[in-house]
Amino acid sequence: MRYKVNHLKQLESEAIFVLRETAAQFEKPVLLFSGGKDSIVMAWLAYKAFHPAKLPFPLLHVDTGHNFPETIVYRDQFVERIKADLHVGLVQDSIDQGRVVEETGPNASRNALQTVTLLDSLESGGYDAALGGGRRDEEKARAKERFFSHRNSFGEWDPKNQRPELWNLFNGRKQHGEHFRVFPLSNWTEMDIWQYIKAEEIDLPNLYFAHERDVIFRNGTYLAVTDFITLQDGESPEKKRIRFRTIGDATCTGAVESDAANLDQIIAEVAAAKETERGTRADDKRSETAMEDRKKQGYF
Amino acid sequence: MSTEAETNLEDMDLLRFTTAGSVDDGKSTLIGRLLYDSKNIFEDQLAAVELSSKKRGDEHVNLALVTDGLRAEREQGITIDVAYRYFATPKRKFIIADTPGHIQYTRNMVTGASTANLAIVLIDARNGVIEQTCRHAFIANLLRIQHVVVAINKMDLVDWSEERFNEIKKAFTDFASRLGQIVDVTFIPMSALNGDNVVDKSRNMDWYDGPTLLYHLENVYIGADYNHVDARFPVQWVIRPHSDEFHDFRGYAGRVAGGVFKPGDEVMVRSSGFTSKIKAIHTADGEIEEAFAPLSCSILLEDEIDISRGDLICKPNNPPEKGQEIEAMICWFSERALQLRGKYILRHTTNEVKAMVEDLRYKVNINNLHKIEDDKSFTLNEIGRVKLRTSAPLFYDSYRRNRQTGSFILIDEQTNETMGAGMIV
Ligand SMILES: Nc1nc2c(ncn2[C@@H]2O[C@H](COP(=O)(O)OP(=O)(O)O)[C@@H](O)[C@H]2O)c(=O)[nH]1
């Protein structure tokens, strides 16, 4: 068993291969950085792929403005650590420019608006490939996603027009105006991500670890009470010991009750988990096919 | 999954497998059963499946619905495709390439098989070895999957008969012997519906003393699947930091496609033919003493020679083949037929050249393995042997020796579509 490579090393090697292919095959790639653990792992792998040189592409954060403050503090420190360039696309700008109309009502979320800001940012930056942290195990609609996912010139995903991917031969050729989404973490599961974070000793935002927070219970999940949430009749905040399993827009990312305060405890919790992590994302529950719909529009 | 946290991660490796069977052989049920009995289904997923089962009026929770994405599509007549699924036990992480089994989906089976270590070929015990079984075995063999499991399913419907099992085993073995070198074949009698021999040992078939499916998946030895003999390193990218600290650093970044590289090794660069010595093998975790497939790293050489993406680093005493006339088996992926003497872009490792298909030697009828030599049309889902001429020399191995340096895809120059995939003979 001399040349044995464990599963994390195999996944790392594969992701690094994909990141290097992206740099080589596209003129102007960009890495979408949300501040969530998947994009942190992806950016970390990009750092490793080109070490000791700087990343040959910038990071892009599409900022809904509805962030947990911790996310931004973390983001800036992390970007500094891996010596990357960061660009920020503000959803607020899209709203101010009249490109999108803010949702109203108690369940209003800027998640859907992100798509416009993202596509605008990709276009104004002239990017021809956007690296995303999507994993195939996250959701049914993603099980068939490619590493190199072709988008037409409107940023749309056409399930019928995807190229077969064999061996490790990725075809990133494209017509003018078309672009690609690239998913180096396609073959990772939530467990792989956590095990890798532990093995690599990657720092994470505190939000991922158990802490006390004021929350309300809405649409089957705990939402943090922040400035962006309007309390409805009958809702009163309660203090709970919680943690987040994904980090997105603060208005719709649900928390779970948890005592897992370090990586080992989180890994144990994920191992025993009874719900998929997307089970806590309110935006996915809006409709059964929510993900597929957003994907066709250009979201991930 | 609860034991996973206690797993020794160093020992946990990765197995990729495909599943193939014809419609209603029980493929979805089998995958559902595998995930369910190995505790890889979440409660919210199970709840969704229970709900759909009820809606459909199923008596029991229908485990086939766990992987129902493809079925829904089939009914609506939209894209059928390879779907990837994941599960893990304390021993291994598994990646399933789930491909639908219709004749028109050869392309998907080939795609799924291209990265697989193992193939599960499903047989309905009542029907035995049928055309589709032969097709699946043929593709597994063509793509050089090293391990095949013949899952003889629905044993409950043939009274758990050992005789029936042996009949099917013999029929498959007879067929497989015509394929040449199918490597390691394991036959497992099971009932996916009831869970016999999937994860738990069957109580209905005392005559069977082999492994359950999961036990086999967890323990099959895949260490020999990579070529650790012929040193092959396709260069993806050149790392040049241009910083003060790493002023002279020039690393050739790539993923080892075969053999073992060590500092001090004498190497040769293709295409130029220049030789040098390995100065160091760099990763972000520090320098390493040896690199082998499938590790990603970057190689630093003693001498400054001109190397760029598409070049191949190898050893002077064991170089790859060099040639512009290539014989290959290809599978066609597009509704637009192969144009004999038409030009395509050929992508091989990290290299691209132009290629022309000069001759279609024969097509294979994959249901009976007959060669068809007098029909020069070649279109979607067909498999055949061709002769290609490339605009520049390729540095390659036969696919049999090395899956990475022996494979290529053909791309349409105008539309950029991937038209076909090839395995060099
Ligand atoms: N009796 C019996 N029925 C089975 C078994 N496995 C699957 N089936 C049934 O066969 C039918 C087709 O199974 P399914 O998994 O949907 O087949 P697929 O088309 O290959 O995915 C369903 O009605 C299953 O309940 C088995 O081991 N025994």
Side-chain angles (χ1 to χ4, degrees):
Chain A
M1 302 287 259
R2 177 127 181 275
Y3 300 117
K4 190 165 167 161
V5 179
N6 82 352
H7 72 299
L8 292 178
K9 213 58 198 166
Q10 290 218 25
L11 292 170
E12 177 188 72
S13 265
E14 175 182 82
I16 287 177
F17 178 84
V18 173
L19 285 154
R20 288 169 172 169
E21 279 304 287
T22 308
Q25 289 198 37
F26 297 95
E27 272 159 43
K28 214 175 166 195
V30 66
L31 185 150
L32 300 180
F33 185 78
S34 68
K37 66 181 191 313
D38 300 330
S39 70
I40 291 169
V41 166
M42 176 171 58
W44 179 253
L45 288 161
Y47 161 74
K48 294 186 81 168
F50 301 100
H51 186 271
K54 272 188 68 164
L55 298 201
F57 40 72
L59 311 191
L60 172 66
H61 179 213
V62 175
D63 185 350
T64 61
H66 290 169
N67 298 300
F68 297 102
E70 296 93 323
T71 312
I72 300 299
V73 173
Y74 174 88
R75 177 192 77 188
D76 294 341
Q77 283 169 356
F78 180 77
V79 166
E80 173 90 29
R81 171 155 183 220
I82 65 167
K83 300 189 197 69
D85 295 326
L86 175 74
H87 299 239
V88 180
L90 297 171
V91 171
Q92 190 63 50
D93 286 351
S94 304
I95 296 170
D96 296 345
Q97 290 157 11
R99 300 274 295 136
V100 293
V101 179
E102 179 121 53
E103 289 181 16
T104 52
N107 290 323
S109 151
R110 286 184 169 182
N111 243 28
L113 312 186
Q114 281 184 78
T115 306
V116 172
T117 311
L118 170 64
L119 293 180
D120 286 356
S121 303
L122 291 180
E123 192 172 331
S124 67
Y127 300 116
D128 58 352
L131 287 150
R135 295 179 279 112
R136 289 183 184 137
D137 84 318
E138 274 176 84
E139 222 267 341
K140 262 189 195 169
R142 276 191 172 150
K144 290 165 291 163
E145 184 58 280
R146 304 293 199 271
F147 279 92
F148 275 35
S149 175
H150 179 264
R151 304 299 156 110
N152 66 18
S153 43
F154 300 99
E156 289 167 341
W157 177 73
D158 175 2
K160 286 189 203 123
N161 194 19
Q162 297 299 320
R163 298 168 182 174
E165 287 180 341
L166 295 99
W167 301 291
N168 53 3
L169 295 171
F170 298 110
N171 174 4
R173 300 181 70 97
K174 58 185 181 336
Q175 313 276 357
H176 188 71
E178 297 175 342
H179 53 263
F180 274 79
R181 298 293 167 80
V182 181
F183 302 104
L185 305 182
S186 288
N187 280 331
W188 297 53
T189 60
E190 184 181 18
M191 180 55 99
D192 298 327
I193 294 281
W194 284 113
Q195 289 172 342
Y196 186 74
I197 288 168
K198 173 156 188 256
E200 294 284 301
E201 300 175 8
I202 304 171
D203 283 328
L204 285 187
N206 294 330
L207 295 163
Y208 279 111
F209 302 97
H211 58 282
E212 305 259 312
R213 189 179 283 266
D214 283 333
V215 292
I216 52 166
F217 195 72
R218 185 188 286 178
N219 299 334
T221 183
Y222 288 108
L223 290 180
V225 177
T226 57
D227 295 345
F228 320 115
I229 291 250
T230 318
L231 291 187
Q232 290 171 261
D233 281 348
E235 283 180 341
S236 61
E238 44 184 333
K239 216 177 227 6
K240 289 263 177 203
R241 192 163 166 77
I242 55 110
R243 66 178 202 86
F244 293 89
R245 289 180 69 189
T246 60
I247 293 180
D249 187 291
T251 59
C252 64
T253 302
V256 291
E257 282 191 87
S258 171
D259 280 323
N262 60 41
L263 287 173
D264 281 324
Q265 289 166 352
I266 290 179
I267 289 171
E269 191 183 280
V270 172
K274 295 191 161 67
E275 282 221 328
T276 54
E277 69 196 303
R278 288 206 161 257
T280 55
R281 293 264 294 240
D283 53 314
D284 280 332
K285 287 200 176 142
R286 286 186 178 187
S287 98
E288 274 243 16
T289 54
M291 186 71 161
E292 191 108 22
D293 292 346
R294 275 179 304 149
K295 217 164 127 161
K296 287 196 180 132
Q297 288 161 20
Y299 177 89
F300 272 59
Chain B
M1 275 191 281
S2 52
T3 47
E4 219 177 331
E6 301 129 38
T7 306
N8 180 359
L9 291 182
E10 283 311 307
D11 288 341
M12 189 165 157
D13 64 358
L14 179 61
L15 179 89
R16 300 174 196 248
F17 67 93
T18 59
T19 52
S22 36
V23 184
D24 285 343
D25 282 352
K27 190 160 62 71
S28 319
T29 309
L30 177 64
I31 296 176
R33 172 60 67 184
L34 203 52
L35 299 184
Y36 182 75
D37 286 357
S38 63
K39 307 203 169 31
N40 274 280
I41 297 183
F42 294 103
E43 270 182 8
D44 54 342
Q45 289 173 325
L46 197 61
V49 166
E50 276 167 8
L51 195 71
S52 322
S53 300
K54 245 188 229 143
K55 269 194 210 151
R56 293 161 37 113
D58 292 339
E59 223 170 282
H60 305 284
V61 176
N62 186 345
L63 287 178
L65 297 176
V66 171
T67 60
D68 203 34
L70 295 174
R71 177 181 311 263
E73 289 181 352
R74 184 159 78 211
E75 280 159 8
Q76 293 161 35
I78 28 179
T79 350
I80 310 276
D81 219 327
V82 188
Y84 293 89
R85 312 184 189 289
Y86 303 84
F87 74 104
T89 68
K91 279 211 153 127
R92 271 191 175 148
K93 170 189 167 82
F94 298 96
I95 303 180
I96 313 177
D98 184 12
T99 59
H102 298 250
I103 174 89
Q104 58 269 49
Y105 306 125
T106 300
R107 120 182 185 159
N108 297 323
M109 267 186 279
V110 169
T111 303
S114 73
T115 51
N117 308 98
L118 179 147
I120 299 180
V121 176
L122 224 73
I123 294 181
D124 183 328
R126 294 170 303 176
N127 305 334
V129 173
I130 54 172
E131 262 191 5
Q132 271 104 325
T133 321
C134 301
R135 187 190 318 145
H136 299 146
F138 174 77
I139 290 175
N141 185 54
L142 180 71
L143 274 290
R144 306 231 65 76
I145 297 185
Q146 305 280 324
H147 314 275
V148 172
V149 173
V150 180
I152 302 175
N153 189 34
K154 305 201 187 180
M155 287 300 291
D156 54 309
L157 298 183
V158 296
D159 287 331
W160 314 102
S161 157
E162 178 176 15
E163 205 188 331
R164 183 69 187 137
F165 174 75
N166 284 330
E167 251 169 53
I168 295 171
K169 187 169 163 180
K170 176 156 186 323
F172 186 91
T173 311
D174 286 349
F175 172 78
S177 67
R178 291 167 54 202
L179 290 173
Q181 359 55 73
I182 267 215
V183 209
D184 149 40
V185 187
T186 305
F187 296 87
I188 306 178
M190 62 181 67
S191 166
L193 189 66
N194 303 304
D196 293 65
N197 286 342
V198 178
V199 171
D200 301 317
K201 207 156 178 57
S202 171
R203 293 197 199 142
N204 297 303
M205 293 178 280
D206 291 339
W207 48 265
Y208 174 76
D209 55 12
T212 64
L213 177 63
L214 183 67
Y215 183 90
H216 182 70
L217 293 175
E218 282 187 310
N219 291 287
V220 58
Y221 176 66
I222 51 169
D225 288 15
Y226 282 107
N227 175 330
H228 292 310
V229 177
D230 312 311
R232 304 286 183 262
F233 188 85
V235 175
Q236 277 187 285
W237 176 264
V238 183
I239 297 179
R240 300 232 43 197
H242 299 294
S243 63
D244 291 344
E245 192 186 347
F246 295 99
H247 191 71
D248 293 324
F249 188 101
R250 183 193 275 261
Y252 303 106
R255 195 176 186 197
V256 182
V260 183
F261 292 88
K262 296 192 180 101
D265 282 354
E266 195 162 333
V267 291
M268 176 163 72
V269 180
R270 283 309 201 170
S271 51
S272 67
F274 289 131
T275 55
S276 181
K277 267 195 181 146
I278 297 182
K279 183 158 73 181
I281 302 173
H282 179 87
T283 73
D285 299 316
E287 315 226 308
I288 54 177
E289 282 312 305
E290 55 181 13
F292 45 87
L295 293 178
S296 287
C297 59
S298 41
I299 291 182
L300 283 68
L301 298 182
E302 297 280 1
D303 307 282
E304 271 211 20
I305 46 184
D306 188 25
I307 301 181
S308 53
R309 176 174 169 82
D311 283 333
L312 181 87
I313 299 178
C314 60
K315 305 246 174 107
N317 59 1
N318 176 9
E321 309 271 339
K322 171 186 180 178
Q324 282 179 263
E325 303 220 335
I326 310 283
E327 293 278 337
M329 296 298 293
I330 62 171
C331 174
W332 207 247
F333 287 171
S334 170
E335 269 153 18
R336 283 185 299 128
L338 166 74
Q339 300 288 311
L340 276 182
R341 307 205 63 81
K343 284 205 196 69
Y344 294 96
I345 294 161
L346 183 152
R347 172 181 278 274
H348 169 250
T349 66
T350 54
N351 191 20
E352 271 184 9
V353 296
K354 295 245 166 81
M356 184 195 282
V357 180
E358 292 197 324
D359 188 23
L360 176 64
R361 305 274 199 215
Y362 59 81
K363 301 200 283 195
V364 183
N365 177 336
I366 60 173
N367 294 322
N368 54 23
L369 303 189
H370 291 165
K371 288 181 186 171
I372 307 165
E373 294 185 356
D374 47 1
D375 177 0
K376 298 286 178 193
S377 72
F378 194 69
T379 187
L380 181 63
N381 290 312
E382 295 200 287
I383 291 177
R385 174 152 171 174
V386 295
K387 178 182 168 213
L388 291 151
R389 170 178 290 281
T390 58
S391 58
L394 284 190
F395 297 92
Y396 64 91
D397 295 287
S398 70
Y399 183 75
R400 176 170 319 205
R401 257 197 107 71
N402 190 312
R403 268 181 158 186
Q404 310 308 330
T405 53
S407 58
F408 60 85
I409 54 173
L410 293 172
I411 300 169
D412 185 286
E413 278 189 303
Q414 261 85 53
T415 64
N416 297 317
E417 267 175 280
T418 301
M419 305 297 282
M423 290 141 278
I424 301 174
V425 177

